[in-house]
Every structure is written in structure tokens, then in C-alpha cells.
């Protein structure tokens, strides 16, 4: 599939793609968080792009951040300080964890990428007061964009952007559902590239390409049989496409995830009627929650358990960046939730780069082998594809 | 002081016999409404400090690690989680909570920590969400925190099944403010040369403003303590014999090495005269309106030292350097507290540029003694004091 290669190519070098966008005269706004109000950036005629830490050396971040800071935050700062983010016309920091919170300060004081905004989201995503506050925060962000870039974001452009993002999210959900039902249809690494590119590519172009891709996938006969054990990845942002291949070589296959660069980012649809900002706020309120936000003490456990059940998950790999507090606090609880369901799990803590291949392979192989004999009776429950509220 | 704290913990531990309710609350949380409602506030963080000071942190943290909690997580949280599960730790563990009050003005860690305890104890959890003030306190944030005070009061009315007494809240608010004012005055005494107290004393006396804020116990005790400080000043009694150098401490204490650090610095004739940590409990008094405590506490609790941007923190540090005539800055890079520690390198550079005083950094986990290397710390302190010595006593800032 040519179209798939295009996704892989963009995912491999998002910066090169962003530079082309910028050369075409559009301003590029970057962010590190799945709570960024991308629809508002898009509605302003600017190009929203997710940033991913670094694949390179982050030593330069030592001047600002201690060694016990996660590789995403250190890598992010290193990317900026070494000039690798020269394509940015602005950055947005939605409030999430303690580390990103301080990265925002350090970024504001030490880098210059034009527009800068802290979007201080509520941490508590329950109750009318938090919802009202979230709406106010998004309205402020919209005003900030309008004033800095000297433009007006019309209600019509907001609605159009919301439709575009809804369509993109529904396509991604359906691709995930197809992969879950028929894992051999596409490799894990390919799916990784599709999601990553969806955070980078011009969204109108993306929407059409995803539609074509989805059509092909719906009709395709699986190129390879998906025989591996059905695994779910739970973790933060994944910047390691290789992990999918290593999992497949170790007798597993990823059929679902709860990742910041996965379902957490694209779950939930925005209401297309009524006030657009309130509708965007409602989706951020209701979407699959990040552990740095609060819905209820048991919200994540319940959600992940239901997803594991729905997708016939046989084992869970917690893929955590070392020093990630919100995820690490949830780990013992989530591990127990899965254990109660009879689903074993393993924890893989990673940093900038993956540990040596042999080591990871051995660990995952040991894990998939201890999952016991494959019964053949485990299948994903068939379900409605598309948007989930 | 010890008697007051003992009495306080006895009352808390016997709450089930007296019919009082117990709330676990974060150290920077709005405690005054609990006092109004006759709820006994219990502070896992104060307890964490006790764990650290009694050198029980390492064992308890290791127990939490065995449950799957990463060694990189806050050592207060790890130790407290382990205690709650086995009633271990000092004073046989904390009394079980009837409710949990979590204010995230100090960190995001407390929210995750309180979620863990909410699942364990299966009691109501109230989150008082104070939006981070990177550069200012936005109008929408002001409205949001103010609205949450009403939410908080109805939450308490629901759990306690009685009405909130607004008249009493005026009195509690007055006592809270008075306690903070006295605490600030006690800390101010250290501005005198030689200083009558050290930051290590402040770490000890801090327990009252943290745990009993809003009661007359704090007011009475700090009134006496202030008298004592004034007496020491008038008699020229110094906390460190032959005080030659004056230092500022940043971040939480290393609870299990207080004495060692105090002695080590004192051996160089250095007195840690002030710190950014204990000051945090009186740092946002300027936002409090005595006649409208409940309304104004929304802002005061949101704009505390840890809930502001690095450049805002720098301003506070500059002021303290001038006020206490400080010769150097000692930063505790605390692996347990990312929001306090990330940004310290930038702060250090700002202090060196603006104030021209030497700075040093020590690394630890505040109550996990396994993380601390005495020999490494000693080498650093010696090298740092050598620089300070070369500049000479009273060299102060590059004014």
C-alpha cells in the first residue's frame, strides 16, 4: 500500500514534514500533550503538531533538569535548545504533570519559538465548576491566538475544524477496531506510524488519506496471520516504533492500547451542535483520562478493565518512561485490576532509548510464554466501530 | 511543643471514642473549614517528616516498592502508603480517615497519593484544585477556586451531616492569619546578626503551623516562641557559635540528616538562617483579608510558593537573600519533589547573576535515607564553604 508508506515516511521525520508546511506559509504550533486544544489551533488556520521528545542526545538539558527527570521532558528541552525545533512558530503547554509544569517555566525562560501559551486546564475533571473553568481556559487560549497572530477565529471555522477532527478520530478508532478483530491486517509498527502521522500531517489531507487507507483495510485480506498473543500496551507517550516489532518477534501482538500517543489521544467525539468551545471542553472532560488528571479514584481501573475485556486481551505490557510519577502511582492498582481478571502483566520501564534488543526480546518472550496455552477461544467481542463518547 | 504535638496525636488517635471525624489533608490544604466543622485534620506529610526523622523511611519505602511503587516516587507518599497498609511507622500509624482532602497547590503527586488512599480506605475524597500560576492568577482561576470553596463546604456538610458555621469561620480565619503572622515574625528573628535560630529549628517548629493552623494553640505557642527569640536577640545569643556565614536553604529538609547537616555547617561557622520551605506557610498572607477569610483564602491557597512559576519563585528568593543578608544558597535537589526541584538550576543561575552569591546543590530523597551519600555531601559542603570563606564573612551579595 503506497499510502501506508507515506504514513511511515512522515512518522519517521515529523520535523521534515513540519518544515514543508511552514515553507508553504503556514505557522506551526507544537505541544507535548494529548490535551492540547488542536481544534482551536486548526480553526485559526495554523498547523497543530504534536512533539515527541528526542531521538537524539539530550545532554544539553542537563543545564536545566536533573537526571531524575523523565526522558520526554529532558528530550523536549534538548530538541528546542539544539535548534531542532526551528520550524515552530509557537508552543502550547496544557497543564498535566509536575514535570511538564516546570518544563513550561524553563521553556518560557530559555527558548524562543514565538507564540507561547500555558493552557492551565483543571486537574479535576468532574463537576460543573471545573467544566466552566475549562471553558474559560479554552476561551482565553482562543483569544491569545487571535491577538498574537492578529486574526479572528470564526464560529464557522471552529465548526469545520471540529468536524474534521471528529472524522479523523472516528477513522482512527475504526482502524484500531479492525486491527483488534483481525490483528494480521496491519503490523503494530504500521499502526504506530498511522497514529503518529495523524498528529503531524495537515489535517485536511490526513482526513482524506485516512479514508482511503481505511477503505483499503476494510477490503484487505490479512497479509500475515496474526498469531501472537493478544496484548495491550498501557503507558505514556510512546516514541519507540521498534517496540511493536520486538513484541511481534516475541510471540505477541498489540491489539489495543491506553497510550498518550494512542487511544487516549483520539478517544471521544466532539458535539457538533451548540457552542463549539463548550463542546471541545466537554470532550476533554469525557475522553479517556490521563493519570495526571482526576475523574475518580477508580476511573482508570474500570476503563482499562472494560477495554481489556472488550478486546480479548491476554496480557498487558506497562510501557512506562522512567520517572513518570502519574503512571507509576497507578501501576500497583492497575496491575491488581488486571490480575483480578486473570490477565498477567509486565512492566517495561524505558528512557531515551530502548534497552538492548536481546534483553527486551528475552523479557517479552518470557512473558508471552508464561501466558499459558492459547485456548483459541479468546476473541475480541464484536462491537460498533467508530466514535466512542 | 512536643507536648502539644503528643496531645494532638492522642486526640486524633482516639477520635473514634470521642465521636469526632478525622480528615487526612495535604500540608498546604485549606484546613480552616475542617476546624470550623470540628473535624480533626491529620497530615500524612507531617507524619512523613516524623518517619524521616525517626529513620524509618528506608524500610517503609522498601515495603511500598515491594508492592510495585517505583523507587523514583515521592518518599513521603511511599512511606505513608506502606504505613497505611500495615499500621506501621511512628506512633503506630495514623488514625483512619473519614474523609480525604487533597489540595494540589503543592504538587500533582498528592492527587495520585490520595487516590491510592481513597481506594484503600473507601472514604470520600475532595480535591481542591488550584490552577498553577505560571505568571499570574487568572480571573477564571480565581472564580474556579472560589467556587470550590462552596463545593468544599457542601462536601463537609454532607460528610459531617451538620451546617457550616460562618460566624465560627471568622474566628478560625482570624486565628489562622494570626498564627501565620506570628510564624513569619519568628522566622524574621533570624534576620538578626547573629541569628537566634537556624532553619533546622524552623523545620522543627514548623509542625504547629502545618497541623494546628486556625487554632489558638498555634497562636499561644508562637507568641511564646517569639518572646524567646526576642530575648535571645537582646542577649546576643546565637544559634551557631561564632556565626561567621549566613546561608539560605531551598526545598524540603533532608529529614533523616537534620542534625548531621546542622553540625556540619556549624563546624564551618555557618548558620542556615532561613529557608524557602517553612516560609511557604506564611508566604501568601498578603492575599488574606481578615474580615473575609473564607473568600480570600481561595487566592492565598492558590498563590503559595510551590504553585507559581520559576521566575516568581526567584523573586521570593532574592527578597530572602537581602532580608537575611545571606552569603550563600544551599539547594536540596529533592528526588521526592519534582515541582520543587525542577527549575533549581535556572534559579541558581538567576541568583548567581542577580545576587552574585555562591550556590551549591545536595541530592537526596527527603525521607528515604538509602538515597543519601554522606561522604559526597560532605565533600560538596566543604568545597562550597571554601568558596564562601574566600569571599569572607559578610561579603553577602554583590551589591
Amino acid at each position: 500500500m503506497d499510502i501506508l508508506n507515506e504514513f511511515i515516511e512522515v512518522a519517521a521525520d515529523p520535523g521534515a514534514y513540519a518544515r514543508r508546511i511552514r515553507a508553504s506559509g503556514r505557522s506551526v504550533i507544537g505541544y507535548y500533550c494529548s490535551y492540547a486544544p488542536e481544534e482551536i489551533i486548526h480553526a485559526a488556520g495554523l498547523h497543530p503538531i504534536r512533539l515527541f521528545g528526542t531521538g537524539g542526545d539530550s545532554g544539553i538539558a542537563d543545564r536545566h533538569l536533573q537526571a531524575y527527570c523523565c526522558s520526554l521532558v529532558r528530550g523536549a528541552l534538548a530538541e528546542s535548545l539544539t535548534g531542532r525545533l526551528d520550524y515552530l512558530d509557537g508552543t502550547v503547554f496544557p497543564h498535566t504533570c509536575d514535570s511538564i509544569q516546570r518544563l513550561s517555566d524553563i521553556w518560557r525562560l530559555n527558548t524562543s519559538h514565538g507564540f507561547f501559551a500555558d493552557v492551565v486546564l483543571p486537574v479535576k475533571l468532574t463537576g460543573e465548576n471545573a467544566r466552566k473553568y475549562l471553558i474559560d481556559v479554552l476561551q482565553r487560549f482562543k483569544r491569545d491566538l487571535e491577538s498574537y497572530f492578529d486574526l479572528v477565529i470564526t464560529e464557522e471555522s471552529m465548526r469545520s475544524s471540529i468536524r474534521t477532527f471528529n472524522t479523523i478520530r472516528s477513522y482512527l478508532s475504526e482502524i484500531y477496531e479492525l486491527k483488534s478483530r483481525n490483528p494480521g491486517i496491519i503490523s503494530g509498527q504500521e499502526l504506530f506510524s498511522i497514529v503518529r502521522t495523524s498528529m503531524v500531517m495537515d489535517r485536511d489531507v490526513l482526513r482524506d488519506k485516512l479514508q482511503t487507507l481505511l477503505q483499503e483495510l476494510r477490503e484487505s485480506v490479512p497479509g500475515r496471520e496474526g498469531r501472537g498473543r493478544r496484548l495491550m500496551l498501557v503507558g505514556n507517550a510512546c516514541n519507540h516504533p521498534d517496540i511493536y516489532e520486538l513484541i511481534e518477534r516475541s510471540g505477541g501482538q498489540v491489539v489495543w492500547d491506553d497510550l498518550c500517543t494512542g487511544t487516549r489521544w483520539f478517544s471521544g467525539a466532539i458535539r457538533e451542535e451548540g457552542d463549539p468551545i463548550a463542546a471541545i471542553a466537554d470532550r476533554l472532560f469525557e475522553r479517556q483520562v490521563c493519570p495526571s488528571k482526576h475523574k475518580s479514584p477508580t476511573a482508570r481501573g474500570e476503563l482499562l478493565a472494560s477495554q481489556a475485556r472488550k478486546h480479548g486481551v491476554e496480557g498487558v505490557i506497562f510501557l512506562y518512561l522512567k520517572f513518570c510519577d502519574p503512571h507509576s502511582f497507578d501501576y500497583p492498582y492497575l496491575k491488581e485490576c488486571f490480575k483480578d481478571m486473570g490477565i498477567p502483566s509486565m512492566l517495561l520501564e524505558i528512557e531515551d532509548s530502548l534497552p538492548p534488543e536481546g534483553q527486551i526480546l528475552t523479557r517479552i518472550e518470557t512473558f508471552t510464554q508464561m501466558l499459558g496455552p492459547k485456548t483459541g477461544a479468546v476473541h475480541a467481542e464484536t462491537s460498533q466501530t467508530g466514535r466512542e463518547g | 511543643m512536643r507536648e502539644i504535638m503528643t496531645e494532638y496525636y492522642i486526640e486524633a488517635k482516639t477520635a473514634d471514642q470521642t465521636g469526632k471525624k478525622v480528615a487526612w489533608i495535604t500540608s498546604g490544604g485549606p484546613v480552616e473549614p475542617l476546624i470550623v466543622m470540628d473535624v480533626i485534620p491529620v497530615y500524612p506529610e507531617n507524619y512523613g517528616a516524623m518517619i524521616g526523622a525517626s529513620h524509618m523511611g528506608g524500610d517503609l519505602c522498601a515495603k511500598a516498592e515491594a508492592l510495585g511503587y517505583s523507587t523514583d516516587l515521592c518518599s513521603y507518599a511511599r512511606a505513608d502508603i506502606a504505613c497505611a497498609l500495615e499500621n506501621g511507622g511512628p506512633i503506630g500509624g495514623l488514625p483512619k480517615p473519614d474523609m480525604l482532602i487533597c489540595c494540589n497547590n503543592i504538587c500533582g503527586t498528592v492527587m495520585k497519593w490520595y487516590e491510592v488512599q481513597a481506594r484503600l480506605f473507601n472514604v470520600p475524597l475532595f480535591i481542591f484544585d488550584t490552577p498553577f500560576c505560571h505568571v499570574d492568577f487568572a480571573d477564571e482561576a480565581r472564580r474556579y477556586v472560589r467556587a470550590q470553596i462552596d463545593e468544599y463546604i457542601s462536601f463537609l456538610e454532607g460528610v459531617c451531616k451538620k451546617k457550616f458555621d460562618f460566624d465560627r469561620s471568622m474566628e478560625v480565619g482570624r486565628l489562622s492569619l494570626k498564627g501565620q503572622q506570628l510564624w513569619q515574625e519568628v522566622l524574621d528573628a533570624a534576620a538578626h546578626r547573629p541569628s537566634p535560630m537556624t532553619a533546622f529549628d524552623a523545620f522543627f517548629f514548623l509542625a504547629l503551623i502545618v497541623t494546628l493552623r486556625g487554632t489558638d494553640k498555634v497562636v499561644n505557642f508562637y507568641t511564646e516562641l517569639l518572646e524567646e527569640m526576642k530575648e535571645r536577640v537582646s542577649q546576643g545569643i546565637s544559634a551557631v557559635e561564632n556565626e561567621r556565614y549566613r546561608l539560605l536553604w531551598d526545598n524540603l529538609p533532608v529529614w533523616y540528616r537534620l542534625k548531621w547537616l546542622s553540625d556540619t555547617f556549624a563546624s564551618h561557622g555557618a548558620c542556615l538562617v532561613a529557608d524557602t520551605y517553612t516560609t511557604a506557610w506564611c508566604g501568601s498572607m498578603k492575599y488574606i483579608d481578615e474580615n473575609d477569610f473564607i473568600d480570600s483564602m481561595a487566592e492565598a491557597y492558590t498563590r503559595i510558593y510551590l504553585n507559581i512559576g520559576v521566575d516568581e519563585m526567584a523573586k521570593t528568593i532574592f527578597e530572602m537573600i537581602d532580608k537575611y543578608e545571606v552569603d550563600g544558597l544551599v539547594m536540596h535537589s529533592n528526588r521526592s519533589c519534582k515541582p520543587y526541584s525542577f527549575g533549581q538550576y535556572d534559579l541558581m543561575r538567576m541568583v548567581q547573576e542577580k545576587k552574585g552569591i555562591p550556590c551549591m546543590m545536595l541530592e537526596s530523597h527527603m525521607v528515604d535515607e538509602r538515597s543519601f551519600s554522606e561522604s559526597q555531601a560532605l565533600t560538596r559542603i566543604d568545597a562550597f564553604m571554601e568558596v564562601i570563606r574566600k569571599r569572607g564573612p559578610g561579603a553577602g551579595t554583590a551589591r
Side-chain angles (χ1 to χ4, degrees), chain B residues 263-294:
Chain B
D263 291 348
T264 305
F265 280 108
S267 74
H268 289 279
C271 176
L272 284 143
V273 288
D275 70 281
T276 57
Y277 174 62
T278 57
T279 310
W281 275 269
C282 47
S284 56
M285 274 190 298
K286 58 188 171 210
Y287 306 116
I288 297 176
D289 175 357
E290 192 175 355
N291 299 312
D292 191 7
F293 185 83
I294 290 289

Short mmCIF file of all heavy atoms in Angstrom, two decimals, chain B residues 263-294:
data_model
loop_
_atom_site.label_atom_id
_atom_site.label_comp_id
_atom_site.label_asym_id
_atom_site.label_seq_id
_atom_site.Cartn_x
_atom_site.Cartn_y
_atom_site.Cartn_z
N ASP B 263 25.18 20.25 62.20
CA ASP B 263 26.52 20.22 62.79
C ASP B 263 27.60 20.50 61.75
O ASP B 263 28.58 21.20 62.02
CB ASP B 263 26.79 18.84 63.44
CG ASP B 263 25.93 18.63 64.67
OD1 ASP B 263 25.31 19.61 65.13
OD2 ASP B 263 25.84 17.48 65.16
N THR B 264 27.41 19.91 60.56
CA THR B 264 28.43 20.08 59.53
C THR B 264 28.57 21.55 59.13
O THR B 264 29.67 22.09 59.04
CB THR B 264 28.09 19.22 58.29
OG1 THR B 264 27.93 17.88 58.72
CG2 THR B 264 29.17 19.29 57.24
N PHE B 265 27.44 22.20 58.92
CA PHE B 265 27.51 23.62 58.56
C PHE B 265 28.05 24.45 59.73
O PHE B 265 28.85 25.36 59.55
CB PHE B 265 26.14 24.14 58.09
CG PHE B 265 25.83 23.77 56.67
CD1 PHE B 265 24.88 22.81 56.36
CD2 PHE B 265 26.51 24.39 55.62
CE1 PHE B 265 24.60 22.47 55.04
CE2 PHE B 265 26.24 24.06 54.30
CZ PHE B 265 25.28 23.10 54.01
N ALA B 266 27.58 24.10 60.95
CA ALA B 266 28.02 24.85 62.13
C ALA B 266 29.53 24.74 62.32
O ALA B 266 30.19 25.69 62.75
CB ALA B 266 27.29 24.35 63.37
N SER B 267 30.09 23.58 61.95
CA SER B 267 31.53 23.40 62.11
C SER B 267 32.32 24.37 61.23
O SER B 267 33.50 24.61 61.44
CB SER B 267 31.93 21.95 61.80
OG SER B 267 31.88 21.73 60.41
N HIS B 268 31.66 24.91 60.21
CA HIS B 268 32.29 25.92 59.35
C HIS B 268 31.91 27.33 59.80
O HIS B 268 32.17 28.29 59.09
CB HIS B 268 31.82 25.74 57.90
CG HIS B 268 32.37 24.52 57.23
ND1 HIS B 268 33.63 24.48 56.69
CD2 HIS B 268 31.83 23.31 57.00
CE1 HIS B 268 33.84 23.28 56.14
NE2 HIS B 268 32.76 22.54 56.32
N GLY B 269 31.22 27.42 60.94
CA GLY B 269 30.75 28.73 61.39
C GLY B 269 29.59 29.24 60.56
O GLY B 269 29.33 30.45 60.50
N ALA B 270 28.90 28.32 59.88
CA ALA B 270 27.79 28.74 59.00
C ALA B 270 26.45 28.44 59.64
O ALA B 270 26.23 27.35 60.15
CB ALA B 270 27.90 28.03 57.66
N CYS B 271 25.58 29.42 59.60
CA CYS B 271 24.23 29.26 60.11
C CYS B 271 23.26 29.32 58.94
O CYS B 271 23.29 30.27 58.14
CB CYS B 271 23.92 30.38 61.09
SG CYS B 271 22.23 30.33 61.72
N LEU B 272 22.42 28.29 58.80
CA LEU B 272 21.35 28.35 57.80
C LEU B 272 20.26 29.20 58.44
O LEU B 272 19.51 28.73 59.28
CB LEU B 272 20.86 26.95 57.46
CG LEU B 272 21.85 26.20 56.55
CD1 LEU B 272 21.93 24.74 56.90
CD2 LEU B 272 21.46 26.37 55.09
N VAL B 273 20.21 30.46 58.06
CA VAL B 273 19.34 31.40 58.76
C VAL B 273 17.90 31.36 58.27
O VAL B 273 17.00 31.79 58.99
CB VAL B 273 19.87 32.85 58.66
CG1 VAL B 273 21.11 33.01 59.50
CG2 VAL B 273 20.13 33.23 57.21
N ALA B 274 17.70 30.87 57.05
CA ALA B 274 16.33 30.89 56.53
C ALA B 274 16.18 29.83 55.46
O ALA B 274 17.17 29.24 55.01
CB ALA B 274 16.02 32.26 55.94
N ASP B 275 14.94 29.57 55.08
CA ASP B 275 14.69 28.57 54.05
C ASP B 275 13.39 28.91 53.33
O ASP B 275 12.52 29.57 53.89
CB ASP B 275 14.59 27.19 54.69
CG ASP B 275 13.33 27.05 55.51
OD1 ASP B 275 13.29 27.56 56.65
OD2 ASP B 275 12.35 26.47 55.00
N THR B 276 13.29 28.43 52.11
CA THR B 276 12.08 28.74 51.31
C THR B 276 10.91 27.86 51.72
O THR B 276 9.76 28.16 51.42
CB THR B 276 12.35 28.50 49.81
OG1 THR B 276 12.77 27.14 49.63
CG2 THR B 276 13.40 29.44 49.27
N TYR B 277 11.19 26.76 52.42
CA TYR B 277 10.16 25.77 52.75
C TYR B 277 9.25 26.24 53.89
O TYR B 277 8.03 26.34 53.73
CB TYR B 277 10.85 24.45 53.08
CG TYR B 277 9.96 23.36 53.59
CD1 TYR B 277 8.91 22.85 52.80
CD2 TYR B 277 10.15 22.80 54.85
CE1 TYR B 277 8.10 21.83 53.27
CE2 TYR B 277 9.34 21.78 55.32
CZ TYR B 277 8.31 21.30 54.53
OH TYR B 277 7.51 20.30 54.99
N THR B 278 9.84 26.54 55.06
CA THR B 278 8.99 26.91 56.19
C THR B 278 8.31 28.26 55.97
O THR B 278 7.26 28.54 56.54
CB THR B 278 9.81 26.96 57.50
OG1 THR B 278 10.88 27.88 57.34
CG2 THR B 278 10.37 25.60 57.86
N THR B 279 8.90 29.08 55.11
CA THR B 279 8.32 30.38 54.78
C THR B 279 7.03 30.22 53.98
O THR B 279 6.19 31.12 53.95
CB THR B 279 9.33 31.19 53.94
OG1 THR B 279 10.58 31.16 54.60
CG2 THR B 279 8.89 32.62 53.76
N ALA B 280 6.88 29.05 53.34
CA ALA B 280 5.72 28.85 52.46
C ALA B 280 4.41 28.89 53.24
O ALA B 280 3.36 29.16 52.68
CB ALA B 280 5.86 27.52 51.71
N TRP B 281 4.46 28.63 54.56
CA TRP B 281 3.22 28.63 55.35
C TRP B 281 2.80 30.03 55.80
O TRP B 281 1.81 30.18 56.49
CB TRP B 281 3.33 27.67 56.54
CG TRP B 281 3.00 26.29 56.12
CD1 TRP B 281 1.76 25.70 56.16
CD2 TRP B 281 3.87 25.32 55.55
NE1 TRP B 281 1.83 24.43 55.64
CE2 TRP B 281 3.11 24.17 55.26
CE3 TRP B 281 5.23 25.31 55.24
CZ2 TRP B 281 3.66 23.01 54.70
CZ3 TRP B 281 5.78 24.18 54.67
CH2 TRP B 281 5.01 23.04 54.41
N CYS B 282 3.59 31.04 55.43
CA CYS B 282 3.15 32.39 55.73
C CYS B 282 3.42 33.30 54.54
O CYS B 282 3.30 34.50 54.62
CB CYS B 282 3.83 32.91 56.99
SG CYS B 282 5.60 32.63 57.05
N GLY B 283 3.76 32.70 53.41
CA GLY B 283 4.17 33.48 52.25
C GLY B 283 3.03 34.13 51.48
O GLY B 283 3.26 35.02 50.67
N SER B 284 1.81 33.66 51.69
CA SER B 284 0.73 34.26 50.90
C SER B 284 -0.27 35.01 51.78
O SER B 284 -1.42 35.18 51.43
CB SER B 284 0.03 33.21 50.03
OG SER B 284 -0.44 32.14 50.81
N MET B 285 0.22 35.47 52.95
CA MET B 285 -0.63 36.24 53.86
C MET B 285 -1.17 37.51 53.21
O MET B 285 -2.26 37.96 53.53
CB MET B 285 0.18 36.66 55.09
CG MET B 285 0.20 35.63 56.18
SD MET B 285 0.92 36.33 57.66
CE MET B 285 2.57 36.75 57.16
N LYS B 286 -0.36 38.05 52.29
CA LYS B 286 -0.76 39.32 51.68
C LYS B 286 -2.09 39.22 50.94
O LYS B 286 -2.72 40.24 50.67
CB LYS B 286 0.34 39.85 50.76
CG LYS B 286 0.72 38.90 49.65
CD LYS B 286 1.95 39.39 48.88
CE LYS B 286 2.43 38.31 47.93
NZ LYS B 286 3.84 38.32 47.67
N TYR B 287 -2.49 38.00 50.60
CA TYR B 287 -3.76 37.85 49.87
C TYR B 287 -4.94 37.64 50.81
O TYR B 287 -6.08 37.58 50.38
CB TYR B 287 -3.68 36.66 48.91
CG TYR B 287 -2.50 36.73 47.97
CD1 TYR B 287 -1.47 35.79 48.00
CD2 TYR B 287 -2.41 37.77 47.04
CE1 TYR B 287 -0.39 35.86 47.14
CE2 TYR B 287 -1.32 37.86 46.18
CZ TYR B 287 -0.31 36.90 46.24
OH TYR B 287 0.76 36.99 45.40
N ILE B 288 -4.67 37.49 52.10
CA ILE B 288 -5.75 37.18 53.04
C ILE B 288 -6.39 38.46 53.57
O ILE B 288 -5.71 39.39 53.98
CB ILE B 288 -5.22 36.34 54.23
CG1 ILE B 288 -4.71 34.99 53.73
CG2 ILE B 288 -6.33 36.12 55.27
CD1 ILE B 288 -4.10 34.12 54.80
N ASP B 289 -7.71 38.47 53.54
CA ASP B 289 -8.48 39.57 54.12
C ASP B 289 -9.09 39.03 55.42
O ASP B 289 -9.93 38.14 55.39
CB ASP B 289 -9.56 40.00 53.13
CG ASP B 289 -10.48 41.07 53.72
OD1 ASP B 289 -10.31 41.42 54.91
OD2 ASP B 289 -11.36 41.55 52.98
N GLU B 290 -8.64 39.59 56.52
CA GLU B 290 -9.06 39.09 57.82
C GLU B 290 -10.58 39.12 57.97
O GLU B 290 -11.16 38.27 58.63
CB GLU B 290 -8.40 39.94 58.92
CG GLU B 290 -8.53 39.31 60.28
CD GLU B 290 -7.77 40.10 61.35
OE1 GLU B 290 -7.07 41.07 61.02
OE2 GLU B 290 -7.91 39.72 62.51
N ASN B 291 -11.19 40.13 57.36
CA ASN B 291 -12.64 40.27 57.52
C ASN B 291 -13.42 39.42 56.52
O ASN B 291 -14.64 39.42 56.53
CB ASN B 291 -13.03 41.74 57.38
CG ASN B 291 -12.35 42.57 58.45
OD1 ASN B 291 -12.37 42.19 59.63
ND2 ASN B 291 -11.69 43.64 58.05
N ASP B 292 -12.69 38.78 55.64
CA ASP B 292 -13.37 37.97 54.63
C ASP B 292 -12.49 36.75 54.34
O ASP B 292 -12.08 36.50 53.21
CB ASP B 292 -13.57 38.81 53.37
CG ASP B 292 -14.50 38.11 52.39
OD1 ASP B 292 -15.07 37.06 52.75
OD2 ASP B 292 -14.64 38.61 51.25
N PHE B 293 -12.19 36.01 55.41
CA PHE B 293 -11.19 34.95 55.29
C PHE B 293 -11.59 33.90 54.27
O PHE B 293 -10.80 33.51 53.40
CB PHE B 293 -10.95 34.29 56.66
CG PHE B 293 -9.84 33.28 56.61
CD1 PHE B 293 -8.53 33.69 56.73
CD2 PHE B 293 -10.10 31.94 56.41
CE1 PHE B 293 -7.49 32.77 56.66
CE2 PHE B 293 -9.07 31.01 56.34
CZ PHE B 293 -7.76 31.44 56.47
N ILE B 294 -12.83 33.42 54.36
CA ILE B 294 -13.26 32.31 53.50
C ILE B 294 -13.12 32.67 52.02
O ILE B 294 -12.64 31.87 51.21
CB ILE B 294 -14.71 31.90 53.86
CG1 ILE B 294 -14.74 31.23 55.24
CG2 ILE B 294 -15.33 30.99 52.82
CD1 ILE B 294 -14.11 29.85 55.30
#
